[in-house]
Amino acid sequence: MKPHADAMLVEQGRIAYIGDESSARRIASFDVEVIDLEESTVLPGFVDGHAHVVGTGEAAGQVNLWGADDVAEIQRRIKQWGDQNPDAPRIIAQGWNHASIPDGMPTRQMLDVVSDRPIYATAYDFHSIWLNSAALIDAEIGDETVSPAGGSVHRDSDGHPTGYIDETAMHRLVWPVLNALVDDEQRDLALATVLELYRQSGVTASTDMALTEEDLAAFVRAEDLGTLTSRIAAFWRIQWSDDPAEALRQVGDVARMALRHNSPFLRVVGIKIMVDGTVDGCTAALGHPYSDGTNANPIWSIEDLAPVVAAADAAGLQVAMHAIGDEAIRVAIGSIEYAVSVNGARSRRHRIEHLEVVGPDEIERLAALGITASMQPVHADPAIQENWRARLGDARINRGFPWPEMTQAGARLVFGTDSPTSPHSPLPNMFVAATRRSALDPSLPANIAAFALPLEEAIVHATRDAAWACQGESSYGSLAAGLWADFIVLDRDIFGRPIDELLDARVIRTVVGGRTVHKVQGAEADRD
């Protein structure tokens, strides 16, 4: 397929032809609407390779702490929201950065600036949460609360909870409290919110990386109503358990879900497993300690993980494993090696998510096994790198997010946003990928400029490759005859203008299955 074309013919929701205009006019056997796009750019709709779809919609209605650079600013924003919403029984916030907190360790006292109601503030990476004193009481977390394996209820020198809770402790002790506060109507509203954001920013498909029963039900309701305007490929998240049979039971459940949910707009395709945490929270499992001498163990050992991966592999499911640190990455790769040894030759498209601290040996191993490298350029934004670099504190900071090494080794590279841990919009994501500069503050110096990619290549990783990685390439992700007509129109030629204009570019039309789901009035010249 040619990388560029003059015309595209759409019929019954699919691309009938793409190539030169004169051929398109000859092929057309029906009356067509002709849209002259002039200097605009037409791209395949973006496919977010890693997102938390409903969570992105929920975050849009919470206190936004992105860019708050110190505790005082965090307190100001929370207090302002509280004053503006006096009847809200709780304050939910998201987006704070560890670098904004002294030593990266928040305390309940810092949030007690509002003491009359619970405050729950999720970190930007969604791997830890910060509670004020009222929220600790609300969540029934106290001196006797036991931290589950793979997470911590952090405590002060007297043994009292500080209000900082991370990883599996957050998942098991706090999230159930918050999830119980959300009903189906609110979940449907959150989904409608993110779908509108997707339409406006050109995301025509997304890969949901933490599917729950409640979120799946919301997707089904939207699909039944015909309001699901982005195609969803979903991975069901499996929690670690000290009972090996529990994880295997969930694998069987997901295999049955995959048979039930396999439509053009909603597919359950696999399982998601958290092998470690994050560098910012010092919970990513590293081969060598952090700068302060500490380290973290993987959440899953290879002995626990390998049978689960092998069972999913045997069931024809994809496996996506969150692994940020090099030790966790080795565990993830080892589990897939085990699956191959047990199940033999078969078609498989397993993935590792994030891969932020990874060495050449691990890259060679994952490429040899055909493992997809799923990464998020926005996580390399220089504006949020201060704490990440300080936590590592050595030569590893010069190898962070080595995207070109993945493809050079022969691995498939996929781009996503991991929203709401980062902004959902794909164009700033592409700016970071193509420049290694900050989309939040473009004046900052590039973060390892040698790892930047050509813009066209970055877009392929965020469209065609992202569709391939969730087995959607025969339906979407490219502009090719026979595929669904999922495409977007930008207001300028992004390949012929300075790269900084990418941050100002607008999506003026979004088309899904041949149907325009977003259009900026007056931005195009329509004619018969």
Side-chain angles (χ1 to χ4, degrees):
M1 185 182 71
K2 293 182 179 180
H4 302 285
D6 299 323
M8 180 167 59
L9 187 63
V10 176
E11 184 176 9
Q12 296 182 346
R14 293 184 180 270
I15 299 173
Y17 172 81
I18 185 162
D20 65 277
E21 182 179 351
S22 58
S23 295
R25 289 183 178 278
R26 288 195 300 271
I27 291 171
S29 57
F30 49 89
D31 292 334
V32 296
E33 174 191 19
V34 178
I35 303 174
D36 184 353
L37 299 178
E38 298 180 347
E39 298 301 315
S40 303
T41 303
V42 178
L43 298 174
F46 282 99
V47 181
D48 196 322
H50 182 127
H52 304 276
V53 178
V54 175
T56 301
E58 291 173 340
Q62 297 171 356
V63 184
N64 184 3
L65 300 180
W66 272 85
D69 55 10
D70 57 28
V71 173
E73 176 60 14
I74 290 171
Q75 292 171 332
R76 187 194 68 78
R77 294 189 192 184
I78 287 174
K79 190 173 185 306
Q80 180 183 55
W81 192 94
D83 291 342
Q84 293 171 348
N85 298 271
D87 297 328
R90 294 169 183 82
I91 297 176
I92 312 297
Q94 56 82 30
W96 61 270
N97 193 311
H98 293 79
S100 304
I101 313 294
D103 299 321
M105 299 296 287
T107 67
R108 65 182 187 277
Q109 292 88 350
M110 295 174 185
L111 286 187
D112 284 343
V113 61
V114 176
S115 59
D116 63 334
R117 49 191 152 162
I119 300 173
Y120 296 87
T122 306
Y124 86 96
D125 59 11
F126 272 62
H127 280 257
S128 57
I129 194 165
W130 177 12
L131 282 62
N132 70 346
S133 297
L136 286 170
I137 295 171
D138 190 48
E140 299 182 354
I141 296 172
D143 293 353
E144 305 304 318
T145 301
V146 177
S147 297
S152 296
V153 175
H154 290 259
R155 302 180 184 278
D156 60 25
S157 58
D158 295 322
H160 305 310
T162 64
Y164 179 52
I165 300 171
D166 64 25
E167 302 300 343
T168 57
M170 174 182 68
H171 305 154
R172 298 190 176 190
L173 301 177
V174 183
W175 279 5
V177 175
L178 296 178
N179 289 340
L181 302 174
V182 181
D183 59 25
D184 286 349
E185 183 178 355
Q186 291 168 302
R187 232 171 247 111
D188 291 346
L189 177 60
L191 179 56
T193 297
V194 69
L195 290 173
E196 176 60 23
L197 294 174
Y198 278 172
R199 290 191 290 269
Q200 293 175 4
S201 59
V203 179
T204 57
S206 190
T207 312
D208 191 275
M209 274 295 168
L211 185 66
T212 65
E213 183 178 352
E214 295 81 6
D215 289 353
L216 177 58
F219 291 145
V220 170
R221 288 192 294 271
E223 183 180 33
D224 289 344
L225 291 171
T227 58
L228 197 56
T229 51
S230 290
R231 305 181 194 278
I232 306 295
F235 288 76
W236 183 275
R237 180 172 175 176
I238 291 184
Q239 297 277 10
W240 181 88
S241 170
D242 54 8
D243 178 7
E246 171 58 22
L248 294 176
R249 181 193 64 77
Q250 290 186 60
V251 169
D253 289 344
V254 177
R256 288 184 285 276
M257 284 182 213
L259 293 175
R260 288 197 304 271
H261 302 288
N262 185 27
S263 71
F265 272 94
L266 179 60
R267 296 180 296 127
V268 175
V269 297
I271 63 171
K272 163 78 176 298
I273 296 174
M274 304 288 293
V275 184
D276 70 346
T278 68
V279 170
D280 287 278
C282 291
T283 53
L286 304 176
H288 299 284
Y290 291 90
S291 59
D292 63 2
T294 64
N295 206 342
N297 293 320
I299 297 171
W300 290 71
S301 68
I302 184 68
E303 293 78 15
D304 290 339
L305 182 61
V308 177
V309 172
D313 181 73
L317 296 171
Q318 292 186 255
V319 180
M321 289 177 280
H322 168 119
I324 283 180
D326 51 353
E327 180 60 25
I329 292 167
R330 285 188 281 272
V331 170
I333 294 173
S335 71
I336 293 176
E337 289 178 337
Y338 175 79
V340 173
S341 71
V342 170
N343 297 328
R346 61 188 303 131
S347 176
R348 47 175 61 92
R349 294 188 190 180
H350 302 317
R351 318 156 45 119
I352 297 179
E353 310 298 312
H354 309 310
L355 300 127
E356 294 180 7
V357 183
V358 59
D361 290 346
E362 288 71 51
I363 293 174
E364 290 293 335
R365 287 177 66 195
L366 71 88
L369 285 163
I371 300 171
T372 297
S374 172
M375 305 178 77
Q376 297 75 42
V378 281
H379 287 172
D381 190 307
I384 60 171
Q385 282 285 290
E386 179 183 352
N387 184 69
W388 191 95
R389 290 170 165 262
R391 294 300 189 190
L392 294 177
D394 56 24
R396 289 174 290 187
I397 67 174
N398 297 316
R399 284 197 46 77
F401 312 91
W403 310 318
E405 293 186 7
M406 302 296 177
T407 54
Q408 289 166 7
R412 182 84 60 156
L413 176 62
V414 169
F415 281 157
T417 65
D418 198 13
S419 69
T421 74
S422 298
H424 71 278
S425 182
L427 293 179
N429 203 26
M430 296 298 93
F431 176 82
V432 178
T435 65
R436 299 287 293 208
R437 289 166 52 208
S438 173
L440 299 170
D441 182 0
S443 68
L444 294 174
N447 176 9
I448 320 176
F451 286 158
L453 297 173
L455 178 58
E456 288 194 33
E457 184 178 332
I459 290 173
V460 168
H461 296 322
T463 52
R464 185 190 69 191
D465 290 340
W468 183 93
C470 61
Q471 299 177 320
E473 77 279 5
S474 63
S475 297
Y476 58 87
S478 302
L479 300 181
L483 273 60
W484 289 112
D486 296 355
F487 62 91
I488 63 173
V489 181
L490 304 182
D491 66 352
R492 68 197 69 195
D493 176 7
I494 61 170
F495 301 111
R497 303 270 190 99
I499 191 67
D500 283 35
E501 286 200 25
L502 197 59
L503 296 176
D504 299 319
R506 290 188 307 156
V507 175
I508 57 176
R509 185 186 285 253
T510 301
V511 177
V512 179
R515 179 168 70 96
T516 296
V517 296
H518 165 72
K519 181 181 177 182
V520 176
Q521 294 299 321
E524 299 168 354
D526 292 5
R527 57 184 173 82
D528 292 331

